[in-house]
Amino acid sequence: MGNKKDNLKRVIVDFKKLTPEILSLLVEKYPDGYDDDNIITFKNANNEIVEAVEVTTSDTKYLVKVSTKLQITMENYDEDDYEDFEGDDPDAVQDPELGDDDVEVELDEEED
């Protein structure tokens, strides 16, 4: 049985490129946040391991890179925060304030 969504454009989205539209889709799909079962792991063009969560529109499959910033932004999401922005404005979604307990996860950290 074939998947009719196989002809979708695939886009990898880093937090810095996250738009209100994609953030809204993420919050709608994962209202209680995402967990390990939702995370897709793959290697990018540079052969680096990437972890992402997937959301799909009518023509595009977005793979949004998993990060602490993404998790906090989803938890604090309020659509009113973005009413003055276009849905595709990558400058609308700001970095959240990371507290002392929030450690930004980087997959390519150097080990000492």
Side-chain angles (χ1 to χ4, degrees):
M1 185 161 95
N3 185 344
K4 66 179 181 174
K5 296 181 180 179
D6 284 346
N7 59 350
L8 294 178
K9 182 170 66 169
R10 287 171 170 74
V11 179
I12 299 171
V13 181
D14 188 72
F15 184 85
K16 293 186 287 285
K17 304 282 189 204
L18 191 63
T19 64
E21 176 189 25
I22 298 169
L23 178 58
S24 174
L25 290 168
L26 282 169
V27 172
E28 188 176 305
K29 183 170 181 178
Y30 307 107
D32 298 319
Y34 53 84
D35 60 28
D36 290 344
D37 293 339
N38 307 121
I39 295 174
I40 299 165
T41 303
F42 61 94
K43 289 190 177 184
N44 66 11
N46 297 328
N47 211 27
E48 300 165 332
I49 295 174
V50 177
E51 293 184 334
V53 287
E54 178 184 293
V55 288
T56 306
T57 62
S58 59
D59 64 347
T60 306
K61 181 180 290 189
Y62 294 100
L63 294 173
V64 183
K65 290 182 182 179
V66 171
S67 69
T68 304
K69 289 179 183 177
L70 176 63
Q71 190 174 353
I72 292 170
T73 301
M74 287 176 64
E75 287 171 4
N76 298 322
Y77 178 75
D78 182 346
E79 67 183 35
D80 294 342
D81 293 343
Y82 304 102
E83 66 185 7
D84 295 333
F85 295 95
E86 294 293 322
D88 60 354
D89 185 347
D91 295 327
V93 180
Q94 299 296 309
D95 281 8
E97 294 292 322
L98 296 180
D100 293 339
D101 295 337
D102 299 318
V103 177
E104 178 61 24
V105 177
E106 293 288 335
L107 288 177
D108 55 355
E109 290 182 51
E110 292 182 21
E111 294 183 23
D112 294 331

